[in-house]
Every structure is written in structure tokens, then in C-alpha cells.
Amino acid sequence: AGSQELSHYWGSLTRSMLSLYQAILGGLDWDDLARPLAEFVSPYMALLFCLYVGFALLAGMNVITGVFVESAREKAEEGKRNEFMRVATEFFMNSDTDNSGTVTFAEFEEQI
């Protein structure tokens, strides 16, 4: 029965690729895939398999985290830009004391 599992999960390149894909995405339990490797090939192959799955999962989580962090950074930058524009607009609106729609150098100096 064990050698049939080995052949089923690891018998060809395409089946091996599918098994690795299923291990990463949770379609198959790690033990179901690692046990035949440890028993019929080498315990080191089972260890290598577990290291591969662990690395792939951590890499995937790192990419997802990076997307969220980048999105949050962009939102914060946009917020800073909007706040700067609000303060600058308020400054120049307050500088235009004669309500002419322009700020003269004298009005500008008064605000500074």
C-alpha cells in the first residue's frame, strides 16, 4: 500500500508537481505526501519536502504581507499629500487679506 502511495503521489513529474501544489494550498496533508518519501526513498527526501513546503508558504505570506504594506504606505503618503495641500491652501487663502484672488509679496511677508 505504501509503495502505491509513492507511485500515486510521486510517480511522474506532472503528478509530483501536482502533489507539491496541493501540499502548499492545503489540498493534501503533508504527512500523506511525506510518509511514502520517508519510508520508500529516504527520510532526507521527506525533510526536503517539508522544507520546500515551509519555504513556499513563507514566501507566499511574504508576498501577501508586502502587498498590504505597500497599499498602507501609499494611503499614508496620499494622506500626507492631502494634508499638505490643505495647509498650503489655507495659508494662501489667509494671506490674501484684500480678497483679490492673488497674494502680493507684502501680503505674503505679513503671513510669514
Side-chain angles (χ1 to χ4, degrees):
S3 62
Q4 287 176 339
E5 284 182 326
L6 180 68
S7 178
H8 177 71
Y9 293 130
W10 305 105
S12 68
L13 179 62
T14 54
R15 185 59 205 177
S16 296
M17 289 171 47
L18 179 61
S19 296
L20 292 172
Y21 179 78
Q22 288 177 318
I24 292 169
L25 295 180
L28 289 172
D29 188 45
W30 292 19
D31 186 54
D32 293 341
L33 295 169
R35 190 177 342 99
L37 290 175
E39 289 177 8
F40 296 101
V41 179
S42 168
Y44 295 113
M45 288 302 291
L47 176 64
L48 184 63
F49 165 74
C50 290
L51 288 174
Y52 163 78
V53 173
F55 175 79
L57 289 173
L58 288 174
M61 290 187 320
N62 192 27
V63 168
I64 291 169
T65 301
V67 168
F68 282 117
V69 167
E70 180 65 19
S71 174
R73 189 192 64 75
E74 287 175 1
K75 292 283 187 199
E77 192 172 301
E78 183 180 328
K80 282 183 187 177
R81 195 174 319 115
N82 289 343
E83 178 63 15
F84 174 77
M85 291 300 290
R86 187 192 65 73
V87 168
T89 301
E90 184 179 318
F91 173 79
F92 285 110
M93 294 296 276
N94 291 338
S95 296
D96 185 19
T97 55
D98 63 359
N99 294 324
S100 64
T102 60
V103 177
T104 64
F105 188 71
E107 290 173 326
F108 182 75
E109 278 185 324
E110 278 182 36
Q111 281 295 316
I112 293 178

